Amino acid sequence: MSKQYAERTADPDRPETITYGIFSAGPAQDDLRGQARGGQMSGMTKLSTAAAEFWIAKPQIDQLPWLPITGDVVVLTARSGQPSYAISRVTTSDLGDLTLILVQEDEIA
């Protein structure tokens, strides 16, 4: 279970599990539009960000003992250093697959 500004604790009702999916990370760009009304703001400010997502197909979802939720941690065990990401949003499609929107977790020393 995860709450903002609180240390993460394990949820005994939702133990660790392994699944397969497609991880995608890359640069992204967001517009800062503020409270503009009417037409677009002239000289719009752009914010460079990084987007990370993990896509899970329906056959893999059907094998999970529970569905991922916001705050869960995804650890990329096949990557060097096994980076971890927190789920900030879960989206579904009409095909039954899931896309997990991720944020990289800070390393704790």
Side-chain angles (χ1 to χ4, degrees):
M1 177 190 246
S2 176
K3 294 180 182 173
Q4 189 174 16
Y5 307 120
E7 187 174 339
R8 182 183 312 279
T9 59
D11 185 345
D13 295 330
R14 301 175 70 236
E16 225 176 78
T17 187
I18 294 175
T19 192
Y20 298 92
I22 298 173
F23 175 75
S24 173
Q29 201 170 61
D30 292 320
D31 296 335
L32 296 179
R33 296 176 195 261
Q35 297 294 323
R37 294 180 189 232
Q40 297 282 340
M41 287 175 28
S42 62
M44 193 176 312
T45 300
K46 300 278 187 185
L47 177 66
S48 293
T49 62
E53 298 178 348
F54 190 75
W55 178 80
I56 307 173
K58 180 151 177 40
Q60 281 73 35
I61 292 167
D62 292 341
Q63 294 177 15
L64 292 174
W66 43 265
L67 291 178
I69 60 171
T70 299
D72 283 350
V73 174
V74 174
V75 179
L76 304 178
T77 58
R79 294 252 172 146
S80 175
Q82 297 189 354
S84 63
Y85 293 81
I87 299 173
S88 66
R89 188 174 46 167
V90 178
T91 62
T92 59
S93 78
D94 57 349
L95 298 175
D97 58 345
L98 291 178
T99 299
L100 310 177
I101 310 303
L102 307 174
V103 293
Q104 190 156 17
E105 290 277 274
D106 290 334
E107 290 185 29
I108 299 175

